[in-house]
Amino acid sequence: TQAARAGSGSCCAGHQARVRRCCCSASRLDTASSLSAHQPGVRRGYSGSDVNRNLTSPSRGAFETVVWDYDGTLVDTRATDEAAVEHLVRRDPAAAAAVPVFWATEGRPIVERIELAWPGRVPEVLPLFDGDESPRIFRGVRPVLRELRRRGMPLSIVSSRRLQPLLRGLEASRLLPSFDVVVGLDTVHAPKPDPEGLLLALERVGVPPSRAVYVGDRDIDLEAARRAGATGWRAAWALEPLPASERLPVDLRRPGEVLERFDGPVAAAG
């Protein structure tokens, strides 16, 4: 397999044998930084009130790729984040006052969350969240990825986690070989809900947004899909279960529902 190149250099040294097209940091990208600016109808700014609008799916069999979020979708990293927060509070008890602020912004880029909770302390605190622990993979994820690969479908990740910690987590969990493209926080200039990362991943696999699904657990993932012109499905298997009356058509209760929506009548409800 051949690693994609951004600018004049290859990316993700050490991972090229496994990842066919891996995105590098934003400083080494020639064209990705302005992708969203050139997409007709793409708006910057975020309004959560309309996140569940316009998320209708193409007809059955129309999808050609699945793009995945990482944290809270493929793997459960909440425990490792909790351990990092506990370590910080043990070292600095005064930091406990801002812990609720940190958890209230879950789903946003980790750098942004740290800055909001503990302003000016990102260089000190960030390494606590970039450990090499192997995250717990959600039950049912591996067989879904395996089946999608068997069907010849290219798979990507677009995450708010920084690229190198993201790649280490994918290697530790042995998920990396399943993916053709990995887009991290520092791969792009504008994080989710801006669609830049999603559009970049789709450009690399050669699939138009109208024929792509983005699976993530947060409103910003669904909003990124909407802005990109892709279909968004919520990975609700890591969230508090909702009564049936409160579930939305975009909600997936388990990873296997991705395949069920591809293969059955429910695909039209995405």
Side-chain angles (χ1 to χ4, degrees):
T1 55
Q2 181 179 4
R5 297 179 180 271
S8 59
S10 62
C11 59
C12 304
H15 304 278
Q16 294 177 3
R18 298 183 179 182
V19 182
R20 186 166 68 240
R21 303 180 187 90
C22 180
C23 303
C24 8
S25 63
S27 62
R28 296 171 64 186
L29 288 172
D30 289 338
T31 59
S33 63
S34 59
L35 270 177
S36 60
H38 295 288
Q39 292 292 327
V42 171
R43 298 180 293 106
R44 294 186 180 270
Y46 172 51
S47 172
S49 62
D50 61 355
V51 71
N52 291 308
R53 300 177 190 169
N54 301 323
L55 290 172
T56 56
S57 303
S59 60
R60 179 178 176 181
F63 295 122
E64 296 179 10
T65 189
V66 182
V67 186
W68 301 79
D69 180 37
Y70 177 71
D71 298 271
T73 300
L74 295 172
V75 299
D76 182 5
T77 52
R78 173 79 186 220
T80 56
D81 286 351
E82 287 176 347
V85 170
E86 290 174 4
H87 182 88
L88 173 63
V89 171
R90 284 197 305 269
R91 193 171 67 187
D92 177 16
V99 169
V101 176
F102 177 80
W103 291 120
T105 55
E106 195 166 11
R108 304 292 302 182
I110 189 66
V111 174
E112 178 182 326
R113 297 173 66 197
I114 293 172
E115 181 60 28
L116 288 171
W118 303 286
R121 299 182 63 180
V122 170
E124 169 198 355
V125 175
L126 183 60
L128 299 177
F129 293 87
D130 285 347
D132 295 328
E133 297 86 357
S134 177
R136 181 178 71 86
I137 303 168
F138 286 114
R139 183 178 181 181
V141 163
R142 286 192 192 278
V144 170
L145 297 178
R146 189 161 51 242
E147 173 60 18
L148 292 174
R149 297 301 294 184
R150 188 193 68 80
R151 299 182 185 191
M153 186 170 289
L155 303 177
S156 309
I157 291 177
V158 175
S159 172
S160 294
R161 188 170 290 268
R162 294 190 305 153
L163 183 60
Q164 289 308 315
L166 174 58
L167 290 172
R168 288 199 300 269
L170 287 168
E171 281 201 311
S173 58
R174 301 193 304 277
L175 288 177
L176 188 59
S178 297
F179 295 96
D180 302 281
V181 178
V182 174
V183 177
L185 175 64
D186 45 352
T187 310
V188 297
H189 291 272
K192 297 179 292 186
D194 191 287
E196 180 187 349
L198 185 52
L199 292 171
L200 173 60
L202 295 175
E203 179 190 55
R204 293 295 175 90
V205 297
V207 176
S210 61
R211 301 181 71 82
V213 176
Y214 184 38
V215 181
D217 63 315
R218 298 289 167 179
D219 281 353
I220 62 170
D221 300 315
L222 299 183
E223 175 68 1
R226 188 188 68 81
R227 294 192 198 182
T231 292
W233 291 341
R234 190 195 309 276
W237 50 80
L239 306 175
E240 287 292 327
L242 291 173
S245 60
E246 296 182 25
R247 292 179 197 146
L248 298 170
V250 297
D251 291 342
L252 304 175
R253 290 172 292 175
R254 51 189 174 77
E257 286 191 36
V258 171
L259 297 176
E260 292 171 12
R261 292 192 178 210
F262 277 17
D263 297 338
V266 75

